[in-house]
């Protein structure tokens, strides 16, 4: 089992920046990919960015150049730096961890952190 807790959301003006954090606990060693997703009101959950245990990153085309996913030497925490925020970036940002432990694969979600971009 892995538990994920997101933090760092809030209200920001258009053009502003936020840095989100995803802190994992439990069997953290089993995590091989961490992703950030966005759930906007009335829309499907969409991928923002991912980072593997080896440090490989991927980004949604709509967010490229404005976000950066990173982590330190360990698998947790994972950060999402968001710049030049737009009102359409508003939503709940959720952290996801995909794990592989003793041959079994699983996925875990945090509760999310609200990001509101508004003047």
């Amino acid at each position: 089992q892995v538990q994920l807790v997101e933090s760092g959301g809030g209200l920001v003006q258009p053009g502003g920046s936020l840095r989100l954090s995803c802190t994992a606990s439990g069997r953290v060693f089993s995590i091989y990919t961490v992703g950030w997703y966005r759930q906007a009101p009335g829309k499907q959950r969409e991928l923002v960015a991912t980072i593997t245990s080896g440090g490989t990153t991927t980004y949604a085309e709509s967010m490229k150049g404005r976000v950066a996913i990173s982590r330190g030497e360990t698998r947790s925490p994972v950060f999402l730096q968001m710049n030049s925020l737009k009102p359409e970036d508003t939503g709940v940002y959720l952290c996801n961890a995909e794990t592989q432990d003793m041959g079994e694969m699983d996925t875990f979600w945090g509760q999310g952190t609200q990001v509101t971009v508004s003047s």
Side-chain angles (χ1 to χ4, degrees):
Q1 289 281 333
V2 170
Q3 296 79 40
L4 303 171
V5 177
E6 303 93 334
S7 61
L11 173 64
V12 63
Q13 291 188 340
S17 298
L18 281 175
R19 189 192 196 208
L20 308 183
S21 297
C22 173
T23 301
S25 59
R27 300 176 75 83
V28 178
F29 66 87
S30 66
I31 295 174
Y32 67 89
T33 300
V34 173
W36 281 98
Y37 289 74
R38 177 173 68 203
Q39 180 78 62
K43 294 186 178 180
Q44 285 189 327
R45 187 173 296 180
E46 60 179 335
L47 175 68
V48 176
T50 64
I51 186 166
T52 68
S53 56
T56 300
T57 59
T58 61
Y59 296 96
E61 283 297 321
S62 63
M63 304 292 284
K64 270 185 181 178
R66 298 194 295 121
V67 300
I69 190 169
S70 65
R71 58 170 171 76
E73 293 295 321
T74 62
R75 288 178 169 84
S76 173
V78 171
F79 305 103
L80 185 71
Q81 177 70 42
M82 302 192 294
N83 303 317
S84 303
L85 284 163
K86 306 174 183 179
E88 51 263 43
D89 294 322
T90 293
V92 177
Y93 283 71
L94 302 110
C95 182
N96 167 272
E98 296 181 352
T99 64
Q100 186 169 12
D101 190 7
M102 293 185 289
E104 290 195 5
M105 300 177 69
D106 210 337
T107 187
F108 298 91
W109 291 91
Q111 292 296 310
T113 184
Q114 176 71 43
V115 171
T116 303
V117 185
S118 175
S119 55

